Amino acid sequence: MRRGDPGVMTARSHARALDGLLSALYCAADAAIRTAGREPRGRVALVAVGGYGRSTLGLNSDVDVVFLCDDSDDPFVGALAEGLLYPLWDLGVDIGHAVRSVDETLSLARDDISTTTTLIDFRRVAGSGSLLDDLERGAREQVFEPHLVAFLNALEQDTAARHRRFGGSLYLLEPDVKQGRGGLRDLDVAEWAARARWGARNEQDYVRTGALLARELRELESARELLWRVRNLLHLRAGRQQDRLTFGDQEDIAQELGFVDGVSLGVEQFMQAYYRHARIVALTAERMLERARPRGRAATFRKLAHGIILADGAITLENPQRLDEDPALAFRFYRQALRYHRRPDHSALDAIARIAPDKRWRLRLQDSEEATQLFLSLIKNIDETAFRSASTIGELYEVGLVSAMIPEFDPLVGRVYHDVFHVYTADVHAVKALEHLQALTRGDARVHSLAARLAAEAPRRLPLFLAVLLHSLGRMRGRGQEEQGGRIAESVAIRLGLSAVDAQHVGWLVSNQQALYRWATQRDIHDPRGLTEVVRMVETPERLRDLFLCTVAIVSTINPKAMTSWKARALEDLYLSTLAELEMGGGPAQTESRVLEVKLQAVVGFAGDAGQEELQSFIDEMPDRYFLANPVDVVRRHARIARDREEGLVTVRVGPGPTEDVEEVVVVCADRPGLLADFTAVFAAHDLSVLTAEIYTRRRETGNEAFDVFSVKVGDNAPPLPRLAVALRDDIAQRMTNRISAQDLIARQSTPPPWSVRPGPEVPTYISVDNNASLRYTVVDVFTRDRIGLLHEIARTLHQLDLDIAVSKVNTEGQSVADVFYVSDEHGNKVHDRERLKRLEQVLRSRILALHARAEAT
């Protein structure tokens, strides 16, 4: 940390400054009223409550006080409140107040959780001290001692409701530092529970009563300090109460706190530190609510084995102290919980969670052969459980046993990419990915039927499961470090006792985890060279299957919408094409055979159709790559569209696409350069998001004809598909005759998509030109931030550089895009001239950056 005042000290200094101001105003108002000849009917005290009562007050937070008195109807108290509050309101202080007697406060506290907590937080600022003594005694005797469990239940319910409102996930992209899970309010919850149960009010009390271990207390105080420093800076930046840590705030506050770019971005380091501390707070609050509950003797009791018992329907430890001398007991505990399908007792979970961070205990755990074998068997478990997290791996992670057994996992805790695509930190994503794969293995085929079948049939689950759990190990070394992660994963697998072959397989899966996804979403999988590269990489059907399953599990859990049905279809198509290539072999002869087979099957399906000559002409005149990219039923449908079109006019057909959330748009018209740029402008005008574009030239005697096929997502406000087709046709015809400009079309977009207006982290622009990825085409990759009109700008630029686009793939991840274009020169060849390639990259980059600059300016 480099700059900024201490967080807690600043909040306490603010509270002390207000103490001085309010006590002075109280004395002045009291003296003025008494001078006027009015006396109080009883005792009066000015009491600080809420954050002010805890002596930690945000720089722009509300100030809450209670005028505590013997008689709440006493005119003296009302006059005192006015005399104190009006000057503060005139100064702009946002102060809330209430006037209550001790009895009224206690009565309200029995029914209202927010008032109950004020009985814990109250603090005298001025006035009678004996009133507060009465209130404290009444709180203990009338509220906390007789109704402790009810208070804890209400506190737990209130916490759950607050999390639902402000974001139940600890790892929100833009967390609420006060009210969100792991925020300062959760820290308050932990303290309220400890004070209600044990009367703990300082550090010594927490340790003395056993509410917290000394280590836990140090961690909690460190978390409190960071959260308060962040909150203070948020309030300073906004000039008001602001507790949401937005992307813009994250970058600036990271610099304020001294985080600098290194292997990872400074802002990523900052957010990792934030999530680590927030996790400590969240888990402490949850565990404190359980620790504070009084424990009675078990009504039913049964010894199981190895120090584990079944008590009142829950699995627990006979003597939690044995964990220290017998680390494998932690895993035996979970094995018994799975065997009997019973919930683990909270006290046992607490004991494991408390000892798991101890470094010496971790070393003994890792040296235990029994613990290692039990850990691996638990990883392989796919059965549904009675655990809180609903999965074995989720439970092991929550109590710290994953990091205890695999210390390489520890740096992933709280590690996050600074983007709007990944919604989980690296550690949580790894756990959720494995949970997803386990669900597939159980036969959950609701979304990915092929993956579920393959997972259920996979003979060696452990290497695959371990690879998914360890897939983020390279992330601690920065982006694009999958190979380093693979080496680390292989060493972990060897240490855990896997065979050399299985350990190498784990490393290979981690190293190549993104390969299939990139090929499926950013490459033409029907290009012979591309398919050959995938075959060369996977080598065997078994490795292909495991890599496919690994990919599905990882991508599906990046965020709830990451694995669209279109991406799932693209991955499945790539898997099946690669499997066929592995099983049958390939080469030019095989490619020619596949083209001929599709053509023959298509023609057979035309039997009885009208216009046989036109249908056969379509088959004869379309290029070979069209038949490699489309199944027979699609070829037949396209041939009938070509047969039924009116010569010389633009034809547009919109219908169901390859998946339920994607539509297919077919455009047929006279061919000319630059059509893709025109089409994308029209699509933008109608809120269509292009996913893929396949550009074909049908060579006819009457002149070349464009037969272009697009996979698109249709906006929510789009008309029915037949009307949409007519509107697209009319606008394309107007654009081709220059009766409307591309910019006017783009400007018509009705509703800017959320990503275009939402602030977010910077997305760098990167252009790559590859002449090795395809036999016939130069492949241009564009990685940049998504913008309205981006696809049109790229297509327009490529056209102006005399390049023809054969295939385009568009992959959007949050605010980032990876657009891919297969292009050729004016002669239909690859672009080999180095100067021309260099100019292509320079011009494309400058145009994209100019588009970004215009968007930022508006």
Side-chain angles (χ1 to χ4, degrees), residues 10 172-173 242 258 296 383 412 415 453 494 635 676 742 756 845:
T10 299
L172 289 176
L173 293 173
Q242 162 65 21
D383 297 331
L412 301 180
R415 189 66 179 258
R453 177 171 60 81
I494 291 173
V635 171
L676 181 60
S756 69
R845 178 188 300 276

Side-chain angles (χ1 to χ4, degrees), residues 471-759:
H471 82 269
S472 292
L473 287 185
R475 179 174 269 188
M476 70 185 97
R477 301 177 183 274
R479 287 185 173 89
Q481 301 299 318
E482 289 83 8
E483 289 188 10
Q484 290 191 51
R487 290 192 289 271
I488 300 171
E490 183 176 348
S491 68
V492 170
I494 291 173
R495 191 179 70 244
L496 292 175
L498 274 69
S499 67
V501 171
D502 283 350
Q504 289 172 2
H505 187 52
V506 171
W508 181 82
L509 288 171
V510 173
S511 297
N512 294 280
Q513 61 183 274
Q514 295 192 30
L516 285 187
Y517 179 72
R518 287 170 177 163
W519 277 105
T521 60
Q522 299 174 21
R523 288 292 180 264
D524 180 8
I525 64 173
H526 304 289
D527 185 287
R529 174 168 290 182
L531 204 55
T532 300
E533 287 295 321
V534 179
V535 169
R536 184 180 296 118
M537 176 187 66
V538 299
E539 295 182 342
T540 68
E542 291 73 25
R543 294 219 299 181
L544 171 65
R545 177 202 62 222
D546 283 2
L547 188 58
F548 172 73
L549 291 172
C550 190
T551 304
V552 169
I554 292 171
V555 175
S556 297
T557 47
I558 289 174
N559 69 54
K561 298 181 180 179
M563 180 64 87
T564 63
S565 55
W566 176 80
K567 289 180 181 178
R569 171 67 178 269
L571 276 169
E572 290 182 2
D573 286 350
L574 177 58
Y575 169 80
L576 295 172
S577 298
T578 306
L579 182 63
E581 194 78 8
L582 284 166
E583 292 178 341
M584 297 186 301
Q590 185 67 37
T591 298
E592 184 177 339
S593 174
R594 285 201 297 270
V595 170
L596 181 60
E597 181 181 357
V598 173
K599 287 184 175 182
L600 290 175
Q601 289 185 25
V603 170
V604 169
F606 293 146
D609 278 13
Q612 289 285 324
E613 185 176 341
E614 289 85 354
L615 294 171
Q616 184 64 53
S617 295
F618 179 84
I619 301 298
D620 294 338
E621 294 165 356
M622 291 296 286
D624 285 352
R625 68 180 180 84
Y626 168 81
F627 298 98
L628 292 171
N630 292 281
V632 173
D633 61 326
V634 173
V635 171
R636 291 175 186 155
R637 185 174 72 249
H638 289 171
R640 291 174 181 127
I641 291 174
R643 176 198 63 190
D644 298 337
R645 69 167 300 235
E646 296 184 48
E647 292 289 339
L649 299 178
V650 175
T651 297
V652 177
R653 295 288 186 272
V654 182
T659 60
E660 61 183 15
D661 60 342
V662 174
E663 310 297 338
E664 180 190 77
V665 177
V666 177
V667 182
V668 189
C669 62
D671 197 14
R672 69 172 175 83
L675 278 180
L676 181 60
D678 291 334
F679 293 165
T680 53
V682 172
F683 293 159
H686 293 274
D687 295 333
L688 303 185
S689 299
V690 179
L691 299 174
T692 64
E694 296 177 16
I695 314 300
Y696 301 109
T697 298
R698 180 183 175 188
R699 304 195 179 280
R700 311 187 67 185
E701 293 182 0
T702 56
N704 290 346
E705 187 174 78
F707 193 96
D708 297 347
V709 182
F710 301 88
S711 293
V712 303
K713 280 193 172 183
V714 178
D716 295 335
N717 299 322
L721 297 187
R723 285 174 49 198
L724 177 62
V726 173
L728 291 173
R729 180 199 64 194
D730 292 345
D731 280 342
I732 288 173
Q734 289 201 61
R735 175 69 203 107
M736 292 182 66
T737 55
N738 290 318
R739 284 179 285 174
I740 189 172
S741 71
Q743 293 306 316
D744 287 343
L745 284 166
I746 293 172
R748 275 170 35 188
Q749 189 164 32
S750 62
T751 305
W755 49 257
S756 69
V757 295
R758 179 184 177 186

Side-chain angles (χ1 to χ4, degrees), residues 4 69 155 172 184 221 281 284 308 313 352 404 476 478 493 552 615-616 674 678 680 692 705 740 784 793 817 822 842:
C69 53
L155 194 55
L172 289 176
L184 287 165
E221 290 306 311
V281 170
T284 300
I308 301 166
I352 295 172
M476 70 185 97
V552 169
L615 294 171
Q616 184 64 53
D678 291 334
T680 53
T692 64
E705 187 174 78
I740 189 172
T784 190
E793 187 66 28
V817 296
Y822 283 66
Q842 291 175 340

Side-chain angles (χ1 to χ4, degrees), residues 78-269:
L80 180 66
E82 291 182 1
L84 184 145
L85 295 172
Y86 276 110
L88 292 172
W89 289 334
D90 291 340
L91 290 171
V93 177
D94 194 352
I95 184 167
H97 75 287
V99 177
R100 296 194 195 108
S101 68
V102 170
D103 289 341
E104 288 170 340
T105 303
L106 293 173
S107 175
L108 188 59
R110 285 190 285 268
D111 301 317
D112 176 45
I113 185 67
S114 61
T115 307
T116 311
T117 58
T118 66
L119 298 180
I120 298 174
D121 292 333
F122 69 81
R123 181 174 59 83
R124 174 182 170 275
V125 177
S128 171
S130 60
L131 263 176
L132 273 74
D133 294 337
D134 291 348
L135 181 62
E136 184 173 10
R137 183 169 52 254
R140 184 174 61 252
E141 295 175 353
Q142 300 180 38
V143 179
F144 294 121
E145 288 182 357
H147 304 294
L148 175 62
V149 174
F151 169 68
L152 294 174
N153 289 339
L155 194 55
E156 189 172 41
Q157 293 168 8
D158 183 71
T159 300
R162 172 170 50 81
H163 287 170
R164 287 192 296 271
R165 179 182 176 189
F166 290 94
S169 173
L170 182 64
Y171 304 100
L172 289 176
L173 293 173
E174 296 179 325
D176 190 297
V177 177
K178 179 183 177 184
Q179 301 285 8
R181 184 166 181 252
L184 287 165
R185 180 62 77 232
D186 277 3
L187 199 151
D188 297 336
V189 167
E191 294 183 341
W192 289 334
R195 291 181 183 177
R197 175 68 171 86
W198 296 289
R201 284 191 170 271
N202 53 48
E203 297 178 0
Q204 291 75 22
D205 289 345
Y206 286 118
V207 176
R208 175 181 54 79
T209 59
L212 289 172
L213 301 177
R215 169 184 51 79
E216 292 175 320
L217 183 61
R218 289 193 298 270
E219 291 175 345
L220 199 62
E221 290 306 311
S222 177
R224 186 199 308 273
E225 175 62 23
L226 178 67
L227 292 176
W228 269 110
R229 294 187 75 176
V230 172
R231 191 182 188 211
N232 290 339
L233 288 170
L234 284 173
H235 283 209
L236 282 174
R237 285 170 52 79
R240 56 181 175 82
Q241 183 168 317
Q242 162 65 21
D243 296 321
R244 178 73 68 181
L245 185 55
T246 67
F247 281 113
D249 294 320
Q250 290 169 20
E251 293 177 347
D252 291 343
I253 290 178
Q255 294 181 8
E256 287 285 340
L257 297 180
F259 292 94
V260 296
D261 294 349
V263 174
S264 59
L265 295 175
V267 66
E268 292 178 2
Q269 299 170 43

